[in-house]
Amino acid sequence: MNSDFCFMSLRVSAMSVFPPVRRDRVIAHLPQAFRKEAAFHLTEDFNNKVRTACQEQRTGTVGFKISKVIVVGDLAVGKTCLINRFCKDAFDKNYKATIGVDFEMERFEVLGVPFSLQLWDTAGQERFKCIASTYYRGAQVVIIVFDVNDIASLSHARQWLEDALKENDPTSVQLFLVGTKKDLSSPAQYSRIEQDALKFAKDIHAEYWAVSSLTGKSSNLITDF
Ligand SMILES: Nc1nc2c(ncn2[C@@H]2O[C@H](COP(=O)(O)OP(=O)(O)OP(=O)(O)O)[C@@H](O)[C@H]2O)c(=O)[nH]1
């Protein structure tokens, strides 16, 4: 079978299997950073080159683009809740440890181009680390999660980063440092840990976010990938 035909039938069958992209997954404007001190960009909107490239891809034969995202960090810092808030707009207050890894897929449309994220939720518990780390390879994005109420979880972030980068090319991976459970900290407590978090994020060239999966505040960070 001719390869163009193959591609077309794949595309048609994929279109008939998947429902339309959710309205809030249609990205027409460049999402803004949480803190300008640790951000990937400070521009207001997509670069014209990006817009042109997307326009060309929209009419061309480019298929579905997929990025792999791995979410790492200490146990119970809130990795699963972060993903559940983003993917299902849900929050569960009962802790259920991730065993090995879990997986979610989210579809987007960025400037008219189909785009999917594979989100790999990894276990923070030491005894599952070995299994989880076998899924690190091939990541385009690493999200290192810490609890803004637990300074130790921030100090362990460097080790999580090193482990994730052992399996990936450090020059082609985008990093996010995400503080969770912001609803549990007072403004004074939060601003103390934020200084350290921003310093670390700048040091490793990560974009910094602080979120609450309970309230849903700022948990749209993933649209920023
Ligand atoms: N108040 C509050 N609690 C949270 C938040 N995020 C997570 N939690 C709670 O923290 C606990 C752990 O959350 P999980 O998301 O399961 O943590 P995890 O990092 O995935 O844990 P492991 O799978 O063991 O690595 C649960 O009881 C959650 O309800 C948050 O933003 N605010």
Side-chain angles (χ1 to χ4, degrees):
M1 198 189 301
N2 159 319
S3 63
D4 281 355
F5 184 74
C6 238
F7 171 76
M8 272 170 58
S9 51
L10 194 75
R11 201 172 164 136
V12 168
S13 61
M15 280 160 74
S16 48
V17 169
F18 295 127
V21 174
R22 265 171 52 179
R23 267 228 316 243
D24 60 344
R25 302 295 194 244
V26 176
I27 313 292
H29 299 287
L30 189 63
Q32 296 303 296
F34 179 71
R35 295 292 256 129
K36 64 176 177 2
E37 294 90 333
F40 289 139
H41 65 82
L42 297 173
T43 47
E44 294 276 301
D45 210 349
F46 288 108
N47 185 297
N48 276 339
K49 279 189 192 157
V50 174
R51 286 192 174 277
T52 310
C54 286
Q55 259 162 12
E56 282 163 8
Q57 288 186 14
R58 203 169 356 174
T59 53
T61 51
V62 173
F64 297 96
K65 295 200 178 305
I66 298 184
S67 280
K68 176 173 177 176
V69 180
I70 56 170
V71 183
V72 298
D74 277 5
L75 87 157
V77 289
K79 299 179 293 296
T80 303
C81 287
L82 177 70
I83 293 173
N84 283 345
R85 171 59 75 190
F86 180 69
C87 296
K88 301 172 186 153
D89 203 17
F91 177 79
D92 185 354
K93 64 178 177 6
N94 301 309
Y95 173 51
K96 227 170 66 227
T98 305
I99 298 172
V101 290
D102 276 335
F103 171 85
E104 289 285 345
M105 188 90 167
E106 274 300 308
R107 292 189 310 119
F108 293 84
E109 200 183 288
V110 182
L111 295 174
V113 178
F115 177 76
S116 295
L117 284 182
Q118 278 180 0
L119 293 155
W120 291 84
D121 178 14
T122 69
Q125 268 190 44
E126 196 57 43
R127 64 193 166 123
F128 300 127
K129 216 171 157 183
C130 202
I131 315 172
S133 62
T134 59
Y135 292 85
Y136 289 175
R137 187 161 302 164
Q140 278 85 30
V141 178
V142 177
I143 301 184
I144 312 156
V145 179
F146 72 100
D147 175 348
V148 298
N149 310 285
D150 176 10
I151 188 80
S153 68
L154 177 60
S155 47
H156 299 154
R158 191 176 291 277
Q159 187 59 53
W160 285 106
L161 173 66
E162 280 173 18
D163 292 347
L165 293 185
K166 266 186 219 152
E167 304 292 334
N168 288 290
D169 172 7
T171 58
S172 63
V173 171
Q174 283 204 311
L175 303 176
F176 284 79
L177 177 68
V178 178
T180 53
K181 309 191 190 181
K182 196 160 180 267
D183 58 287
L184 295 179
S185 72
S186 70
Q189 278 171 328
Y190 173 71
S191 84
R192 274 197 297 277
I193 202 160
E194 193 188 61
Q195 299 307 314
D196 293 343
L198 282 172
K199 195 160 164 280
F200 178 58
K202 277 196 275 189
D203 188 30
I204 62 170
H205 304 291
E207 178 154 313
Y208 172 72
W209 282 73
V211 305
S212 165
S213 303
L214 184 147
T215 64
K217 199 148 190 255
S218 304
S219 48
N220 63 342
L221 80 143
I222 299 175
T223 52
D224 203 24
F225 289 163

